[in-house]
Amino acid sequence: MQAAAEAVQPPSRTLLMLEGRAFWELGAFAASLPVLSQAPRGDGHPVLVLPGLIASDVSTRPLRSFLNNHGYRAHGWGLGRNLGPRPGVQSRMLERLLELHQRYGRKVSLVGWSLGGIFARELAKQAPEAVRMVITLGSPFGGHPKATNAWRVYEMASGETIDDRNQAFVEALRETPPVPTTAIYSRTDGICAWQSCRERPGPQAENIEVPGSHCGLGHNPAVIYAVAERLAQPENDWRPFERSGWRAFVYRDPS
């Protein structure tokens, strides 16, 4: 497993250059709202959305706005730009999670984009009693830290060196949270190697493949629908994503 993970290379330069698709995907999201309105509606439970590296709650506003209008109580993380695991960030995220859990008296679903998804998984491991499910969007938790085109940006933003992370730490990141977990990823991701963004399938763990860029995952129509459909499942009755009918044309079978 370790050797295979280290053999994964970052996405090609061509895919990296194609990340400009994210602007088109934002337009597609706006145009798709009438169709997306047909997605299963929520039951009012809270959702905490965590942004990616060097991004802030501004980046997750389209997703949160959709979820708020679709029967959820979606919240940003409220910690400014995501500059990595700087001192105090983990404890403040945990406080945010527990505050929402206490405020609503219900478990909180966590949706994390890229690095935000890695944070979401770790939060679920810390406080599984407060978490309903975890959904990651292009989060490279399963591969070598340098299997992305953003590792240098991570080092500059966080102030730490990737090589300082020992193998035990990397293996711990790969461990599946003890709650229902869905990993959404794209094979045409230009930032993170898609192989690193896949979950180990299990009784409560799955992968959903979508077409699109990394920088557009938070407003990609296929992602928005999948997130809403996953969140709409009854608590304690999680089932794998169903790809029958029209979904088979949009969501490729990851196996």
Side-chain angles (χ1 to χ4, degrees):
M1 176 68 73
Q2 177 182 347
E6 291 183 348
V8 174
Q9 298 298 310
S12 68
R13 184 171 298 179
T14 299
L15 284 176
L16 179 59
M17 293 175 64
L18 288 174
E19 280 298 306
R21 292 170 293 166
F23 293 104
W24 180 88
E25 288 160 349
L26 181 58
F29 164 67
S32 301
L33 285 175
V35 177
L36 291 173
S37 66
Q38 303 304 309
R41 295 190 62 84
D43 60 1
H45 79 268
V47 181
L48 178 59
V49 185
L50 308 176
L53 178 64
I54 71 173
S56 69
D57 286 333
V58 173
S59 67
T60 65
R61 188 175 294 162
L63 172 58
R64 288 184 288 112
S65 177
F66 176 83
L67 293 178
N68 280 323
N69 291 325
H70 216 66
Y72 302 94
R73 300 292 181 267
H75 299 267
W77 79 329
L79 299 179
R81 290 193 177 278
N82 185 346
L83 300 178
R86 288 175 174 262
V89 170
Q90 287 100 324
S91 61
R92 292 171 66 190
M93 282 192 296
L94 182 58
E95 290 173 3
R96 178 70 162 153
L97 166 62
L98 297 179
E99 185 273 323
L100 291 174
H101 178 46
Q102 182 177 24
R103 184 197 308 181
Y104 292 98
R106 304 182 68 177
K107 290 185 177 181
V108 182
S109 288
L110 303 177
V111 180
W113 189 351
S114 198
L115 179 59
I118 293 178
F119 284 163
R121 289 165 57 87
E122 295 309 299
L123 281 175
K125 296 172 189 177
Q126 288 180 274
E129 72 286 349
V131 178
R132 179 163 168 165
M133 71 175 65
V134 172
I135 302 175
T136 61
L137 312 180
S139 300
F141 53 81
H144 191 274
K146 288 189 176 180
T148 79
N149 283 315
W151 66 268
R152 292 181 179 84
V153 176
Y154 174 86
E155 290 189 336
M156 289 188 291
S158 66
E160 66 176 31
T161 302
I162 290 291
D163 294 331
D164 290 340
R165 296 297 192 182
N166 58 37
Q167 189 58 35
F169 176 85
V170 174
E171 286 295 333
L173 289 183
R174 295 173 186 154
E175 294 178 3
T176 304
V179 300
T181 303
T182 298
I184 299 178
Y185 69 95
S186 170
R187 287 178 186 257
T188 56
D189 188 318
I191 303 298
C192 300
W194 63 269
Q195 298 94 328
S196 301
C197 303
R198 288 167 52 96
E199 183 57 84
R200 296 167 177 168
Q204 292 192 107
E206 65 176 351
N207 297 296
I208 298 178
E209 183 177 328
V210 298
S213 68
H214 181 89
C215 294
L217 285 171
H219 47 256
N220 181 317
V223 174
I224 298 294
Y225 181 90
V227 169
E229 194 277 344
R230 296 287 77 197
L231 292 175
Q233 297 175 97
E235 189 169 359
N236 301 319
D237 190 23
W238 186 90
R239 297 181 183 183
F241 186 70
E242 176 60 54
R243 294 179 178 80
S244 62
W246 66 265
R247 297 184 189 182
F249 295 96
V250 179
Y251 303 99
R252 176 177 174 176
D253 186 346
S255 63

